[in-house]
Amino acid sequence: MTLTLSAMASAELAVIVHPSNASALDKKAVQKIFLGKDTKFSSGTAATPINLGTDNATRGSFDESIVGRSSSQVAAYWSKLVFTGKGVPPKEVSTDAEVIALVSASEQAIGYVDASSVNDSVKVVPLN
């Protein structure tokens, strides 16, 4: 348990978008996109969030630090929206490599990965 917690604490997050995405993003904007409260970037382009699976430590860190909720609270939030027909949760993938591949292939995609996984095919969004 201690190793898992220390691994989560040491993982540095990187929110990533397609290199051509020039939208202004901050923590609140990313939170709204991943909670389905906003479906577009500031430029007006549709935003397609990509989540890591709930068993991924980076996902837990993202939910806590960016979304402001635990992963179980985020799951409950989306369950309610899906049940009432008011939302569809973000697409989930298993690995950082899958997130990077999807984001680098689509100007609409936004995701997050462990900062050590970032490569030149995506752009890191500085969250002020």
Side-chain angles (χ1 to χ4, degrees), residues 71-117:
S71 292
S72 59
Q73 288 172 320
V74 172
Y77 170 86
W78 279 111
S79 291
K80 180 180 176 184
L81 288 181
V82 169
F83 182 74
T84 58
K86 294 180 180 175
V88 177
K91 176 182 176 82
E92 282 189 14
V93 296
S94 300
T95 66
D96 285 359
E98 289 175 281
V99 174
I100 290 169
L102 288 169
V103 170
S104 67
S106 172
E107 293 180 13
Q108 298 177 340
I110 179 171
Y112 57 89
V113 295
D114 186 289
S116 65
S117 299

Side-chain angles (χ1 to χ4, degrees), residues 4-126:
T4 303
L5 291 175
S6 64
M8 280 180 66
S10 66
E12 190 173 330
L13 286 172
V15 174
I16 58 172
V17 294
H18 189 274
S20 67
N21 188 328
S23 296
L25 288 167
D26 60 12
K27 183 177 173 180
K28 194 72 171 170
V30 173
Q31 180 187 58
K32 286 181 176 182
I33 290 169
F34 276 87
L35 289 175
K37 294 179 179 181
D38 206 343
T39 59
K40 296 182 181 193
F41 291 110
S42 62
S43 64
T45 305
T48 305
I50 310 295
N51 249 341
L52 286 166
T54 55
D55 58 340
N56 189 300
T58 304
R59 165 75 180 267
S61 183
F62 176 83
D63 287 345
E64 293 279 342
S65 65
I66 304 297
V67 179
R69 303 175 186 200
S70 69
S71 292
S72 59
Q73 288 172 320
V74 172
Y77 170 86
W78 279 111
S79 291
K80 180 180 176 184
L81 288 181
V82 169
F83 182 74
T84 58
K86 294 180 180 175
V88 177
K91 176 182 176 82
E92 282 189 14
V93 296
S94 300
T95 66
D96 285 359
E98 289 175 281
V99 174
I100 290 169
L102 288 169
V103 170
S104 67
S106 172
E107 293 180 13
Q108 298 177 340
I110 179 171
Y112 57 89
V113 295
D114 186 289
S116 65
S117 299
V118 174
N119 62 35
D120 291 344
S121 68
V122 294
K123 178 170 79 173
V124 175
V125 176

